Amino acid sequence: MKKLSLLLSVVIFLTLLPMTAAASGIQVILNNKPIVFSDAQPFKKGTDVWIPLRQSAQAMGMKIGLTKGTDKVQLTDSLFRVSLRIGTNAAVMNEEQTVSYGAAAISKANRIYVPLTFFSKVFGFETAYDNDRSEVVIGLPKNFDDIFAPTIVEFLNTGAYQQLSDNYFDETIKPLIPVKALQAGWEQTIATAGNFIGIHKIQSNTNDTVNKEINVTLNFSKENVALLIHLNESGKIIGLRLSPLQPEAALPAGLTEEDVTVGTGSAYPLEGTLTLPKNATGPVPAVVLVQGSGPSDRDETAGSYKPFRDIAWGLAQQGIAVLRYDKRTFVYGKSFTPEMLTKFTVKEETVDDAIAASKLLKGDKRIDPSQVYVVGHSLGGMLAPRIDNEGGDFAGLVILAGSTRSLWEIIADQNADFIRAMDDKDPKKKANETWLAAEKIRAEKLSSLSDKEAIEQTLFGIPALYFKEMDQHGAQSLVSRLSKPILIMQGEDDFQVFAKDYSQWQEHLKNNAKASFKLYPGLNHFFVNYEGKDQNTVEEYNHPGNVDKQVILDIGQWINKQ
């Protein structure tokens, strides 16, 4: 807000920064951090890229050993035990599963090399090679959260606090969370929440731009508890926090909710919730809620926020039906193949499903088909004009923290802010400045690329086709021609979408007499009013908060006046 995987696990508006500029030869980036090869170097031969195994394994935090008198190599860490032989193309995982990985491992100048496919086939890592930049990118496996989080919970539940610290904690965090504090925290949680039952849900925080964040909901006999795990770019824990979860809010009186399916009969049906005023008479106006980028549930859950639930309940209390649904990448993201993802665009990610949601509402006899509106947040706000134009055919549009600019421009600005805040003495700052300048030059050439070229290249770690296709349906030209009612809303404390984005909406809509604008002091990207610790960082989203009531009231009054 992915290398390819970033598309599905990080908010598009926030993109991870590489930690250094590219070096000469083939550069290998592992989990967003370059591997420094002291002697053996990666090389390309034919269609394969060959990676020195020892230093790669060490960068992954694994121990490597070679059995004397044999060609057998062992790689071990707390999650994996892998053995392979030089001259073969198969590895044995955890002494059980044999996995083939393409070309056979080789020995060259007393150094062991494996093909890039070794990392994808054996460990399930996301891998990509950019020939133009001579850069290999190796990222965490798609199911990393589902493997990593249960492991951490198991260590806590079995009292293996020392092993957890030794194997998973970054050295910088060990003095801050000593083993005794780990033990005290878990035992105190049990004393308060009751006996541990199991894991209820695992979800990544898609708003974290610098480090990976995993949110785990734990079931205890008395109450649920949130486990927050922060990882650095090397996959080591730099933060661990247990906190009671707020009880699920009760549906307000006078409302009713029912389960619906968006896209019934399609390849990707999506479960959703339709919120209705219980005592409404006659067909009522309705709203389709469209989420921001990244995989998102129907509530658009982000940290401690559930903004779409807040909006749905608040609008229904004003006599407006609201449809919210799980996003396609949230439901099906892990099933998408690498080939599918290379061609993945916002049309598949958001547009098609929002159009299906509009048609679902218009076919409901309880809904006034001439009064169906779209409320798009963040990327959903950017795409709302396109959704309307390509089949949504809404009565009006509400844009929450959206933009008419190219997505890559917003990402560039966000990265520039992040780099600007770095310490001038940090050697990574200059490298990142150089990287950002190079990415902006590449972005400016997007329109000249063919679709095939765009698929084969990346921009800000994302396949360039994603940006190119979106630019071909830019919001700016659609908005300038728009004559329908449109309401633009922006929080002044939003550090993901900027004041100039709000101003540009005003400029593009200056000839639309039906355009309205609302700017809210003190509200952040999710229209929550927050002051305190972690303010103006993604961490502030972890502090409980709700969408400001005035914002929801303003949306409802605007719709009811149309």
Side-chain angles (χ1 to χ4, degrees):
M1 176 193 136
K2 265 159 157 183
K3 198 190 108 351
L4 204 49
S5 66
L6 295 183
L7 182 62
L8 299 182
S9 66
V10 177
V11 167
I12 296 297
F13 276 144
L14 295 168
T15 306
L16 292 172
L17 287 169
M19 301 308 294
T20 185
S24 58
I26 295 179
Q27 175 87 337
V28 178
I29 307 294
L30 173 68
N31 294 341
N32 207 39
K33 187 175 183 179
I35 301 176
V36 178
F37 296 98
S38 56
D39 48 13
Q41 298 295 319
F43 65 92
K44 190 170 186 291
K45 184 177 181 181
T47 59
D48 290 315
V49 179
W50 293 87
I51 313 293
L53 182 58
R54 178 174 295 277
Q55 284 157 314
S56 300
Q58 290 171 342
M60 293 164 58
M62 304 189 80
K63 296 179 180 178
I64 181 169
L66 179 64
T67 303
K68 291 183 178 179
T70 72
D71 290 329
K72 186 177 180 180
V73 182
Q74 300 90 29
L75 305 174
T76 57
D77 69 3
S78 50
L79 283 179
F80 299 106
R81 298 187 305 279
V82 179
S83 61
L84 64 144
R85 290 183 182 274
I86 299 170
T88 70
N89 68 341
V92 179
M93 291 285 293
N94 297 327
E95 301 176 358
E96 296 176 354
Q97 182 182 9
T98 300
V99 181
S100 298
Y101 53 83
I106 62 174
S107 178
K108 180 180 178 182
N110 294 320
R111 295 292 182 265
I112 302 168
Y113 291 80
V114 290
L116 181 58
T117 51
F118 172 83
F119 299 93
S120 59
K121 299 293 186 181
V122 175
F123 296 107
F125 283 8
E126 294 286 337
T127 61
Y129 175 63
D130 189 323
N131 190 61
D132 292 339
R133 302 176 70 177
S134 295
E135 182 180 86
V136 168
V137 178
I138 304 174
L140 294 173
K142 291 181 184 178
N143 62 341
F144 175 80
D145 294 1
D146 295 332
I147 297 172
F148 189 84
T151 302
I152 301 306
V153 173
E154 179 68 13
F155 281 128
L156 290 169
N157 190 43
T158 58
Y161 310 112
Q162 187 66 57
Q163 188 177 357
L164 172 58
S165 179
D166 290 346
N167 293 348
Y168 292 93
F169 276 29
D170 185 79
E171 292 300 323
T172 59
I173 203 66
K174 289 180 180 179
L176 303 177
I177 310 179
V179 172
K180 288 185 178 179
L182 272 177
Q183 180 176 353
W186 185 254
E187 291 177 351
Q188 183 178 356
T189 299
I190 293 174
T192 303
N195 295 327
F196 175 65
I197 297 173
I199 293 175
H200 174 66
K201 184 172 64 175
I202 301 170
Q203 188 173 359
S204 287
N205 179 1
T206 56
N207 293 295
D208 199 323
T209 62
V210 181
N211 304 303
K212 183 173 179 59
E213 179 183 299
I214 306 174
N215 294 288
V216 188
T217 302
L218 305 176
N219 291 141
F220 287 79
S221 58
K222 295 180 181 178
E223 63 182 7
N224 289 348
V225 172
L227 171 63
L228 181 66
I229 307 171
H230 271 290
L231 306 176
N232 62 14
E233 72 277 0
S234 300
K236 292 291 187 179
I237 293 176
I238 56 172
L240 196 69
R241 184 173 71 205
L242 287 159
S243 58
L245 274 175
Q246 290 183 314
E248 285 291 327
L251 182 69
L255 305 183
T256 182
E257 288 192 329
E258 57 188 57
D259 294 332
V260 297
T261 301
V262 174
T264 300
S266 71
Y268 301 102
L270 302 171
E271 297 305 309
T273 300
L274 178 61
T275 308
L276 292 152
K278 187 178 291 184
N279 300 318
T281 57
V284 297
V287 159
V288 174
L289 296 179
V290 181
Q291 303 104 319
S293 50
S296 177
D297 64 18
R298 69 193 70 182
D299 292 333
E300 203 188 33
T301 302
S304 295
Y305 298 165
K306 291 184 178 292
F308 277 13
R309 181 204 62 188
D310 295 346
I311 294 172
W313 290 358
L315 291 182
Q317 287 174 315
Q318 299 177 69
I320 302 166
V322 180
L323 173 59
R324 63 196 197 271
Y325 53 93
D326 297 328
K327 198 170 175 182
R328 189 184 298 196
T329 47
F330 179 81
V331 180
Y332 300 103
K334 292 180 181 178
S335 69
F336 294 157
T337 66
E339 183 180 359
M340 291 167 65
L341 291 173
T342 60
K343 303 173 184 177
F344 198 72
T345 69
V346 291
K347 185 178 190 303
E348 295 82 21
E349 183 188 19
T350 299
V351 175
D352 289 347
D353 297 325
I355 293 172
S358 171
K359 292 178 179 178
L360 177 64
L361 284 178
K362 292 177 182 180
D364 191 319
K365 293 181 180 180
R366 298 166 296 180
I367 305 298
D368 181 348
S370 68
Q371 288 294 300
V372 175
Y373 297 80
V374 61
V375 175
H377 175 240
S378 198
L379 181 66
M382 292 181 70
L383 294 174
R386 176 177 175 181
I387 296 166
D388 174 66
N389 183 66
E390 294 187 7
D393 191 22
F394 297 103
L397 295 74
V398 180
I399 312 297
L400 303 175
S403 176
T404 60
R405 290 192 293 150
S406 294
L407 180 58
W408 67 261
E409 292 182 62
I410 299 170
I411 293 176
D413 281 351
Q414 292 172 337
N415 281 296
D417 279 356
F418 179 82
I419 294 171
R420 197 177 298 115
M422 295 176 70
D423 190 327
D424 289 338
K425 297 178 182 178
D426 189 338
K428 297 173 185 174
K429 183 171 186 175
K430 182 62 178 177
N432 280 322
E433 288 173 341
T434 302
W435 166 81
L436 180 58
E439 291 298 289
K440 290 172 73 173
I441 292 173
R442 287 157 58 85
E444 289 166 355
K445 298 177 181 178
L446 261 180
S447 61
S448 66
L449 299 178
S450 67
D451 285 355
K452 183 177 183 298
E453 290 171 330
I455 288 172
E456 295 172 348
Q457 296 185 31
T458 62
L459 181 63
F460 296 103
I462 301 168
L465 180 67
Y466 188 89
F467 296 98
K468 179 177 183 287
E469 194 274 346
M470 195 171 173
D471 280 355
Q472 289 171 336
H473 304 269
Q476 182 174 326
S477 59
L478 292 172
V479 168
S480 298
R481 302 195 303 266
L482 195 67
S483 59
K484 293 181 178 183
I486 183 169
L487 173 61
I488 308 299
M489 311 180 88
Q490 176 75 33
E492 281 191 350
D493 284 1
D494 189 337
F495 57 84
Q496 292 182 236
V497 176
F498 306 94
K500 63 182 175 183
D501 292 298
Y502 180 75
S503 299
Q504 286 192 7
W505 283 108
Q506 294 175 311
E507 175 63 25
H508 298 316
L509 289 164
K510 63 185 178 183
N511 295 321
N512 185 343
K514 298 178 182 178
S516 301
F517 305 89
K518 293 277 187 178
L519 186 62
Y520 297 88
L523 301 190
N524 64 19
H525 187 60
F526 290 93
F527 293 84
V528 174
N529 194 339
Y530 176 75
E531 292 182 7
K533 182 184 178 184
D534 303 319
Q535 188 174 2
N536 295 326
T537 72
V538 292
E539 284 287 341
E540 88 173 50
Y541 303 153
N542 292 316
H543 297 272
N546 298 95
V547 176
D548 190 88
K549 291 181 179 180
Q550 187 61 51
V551 171
I552 301 174
L553 184 64
D554 289 344
I555 296 173
Q557 289 179 342
W558 182 83
I559 289 174
N560 284 324
K561 287 178 181 177
Q562 301 306 315

